[in-house]
Every structure is written in C-alpha cells, then in structure tokens.
Amino acid sequence: MTEKSTQTERNKRWQSQNKERAKFLQYRSYARSFIRNLATKEDLVELKQLIDERKQYLDS
C-alpha cells in the first residue's frame, strides 16, 4: 500500500471506532464553514441568540 492509502485506511478505521466523536467533529466543521463562508448578517444574529441560549442552558 502507498502511504496515502495507508493513511486513508487508518482514518476510516478511526472513524468507524469513534463514530460519535467523528460525528461531533463533522458537525462542528459544518457550522464553522457556514459561519465563515455563507452566513448572512441575519443568520449571524439568529445564531448568536441560539448560542446565548445554549450557553445559559449549559451554565445552569
């Protein structure tokens, strides 16, 4: 196997053994990408409100 395909296999194995963590990382990546590249000002206002609500929930 080449080094690239070996690393790909390792990545696939890690993802299959760590499904919840891989899902978390993927969703976080989607959120960051949306904020950086696609979100409008209105989206950012709504997201800020949702973030503030979530922070309050986690603090209680």
Side-chain angles (χ1 to χ4, degrees):
M1 267 194 218
T2 66
E3 187 175 324
K4 186 173 183 178
S5 63
T6 301
Q7 187 61 44
T8 301
E9 283 300 315
R10 288 179 185 155
N11 288 343
K12 287 180 183 179
R13 192 174 332 123
W14 183 89
Q15 287 178 340
S16 68
Q17 293 172 350
N18 299 280
K19 288 183 190 269
E20 287 301 312
R21 183 67 180 163
K23 183 176 163 182
F24 169 83
L25 293 172
Q26 186 64 52
Y27 283 154
R28 185 176 68 181
S29 176
Y30 291 154
R32 289 177 174 179
S33 179
F34 175 74
I35 290 167
R36 286 187 185 123
N37 302 318
L38 299 172
T40 64
K41 189 170 186 173
E42 292 80 18
D43 291 330
L44 295 175
V45 169
E46 181 183 1
L47 289 169
K48 184 173 181 340
Q49 180 183 355
L50 292 170
I51 290 167
D52 290 342
E53 290 172 6
R54 180 68 176 162
K55 283 170 66 175
Q56 284 181 349
Y57 171 78
L58 292 174
D59 287 341
S60 61

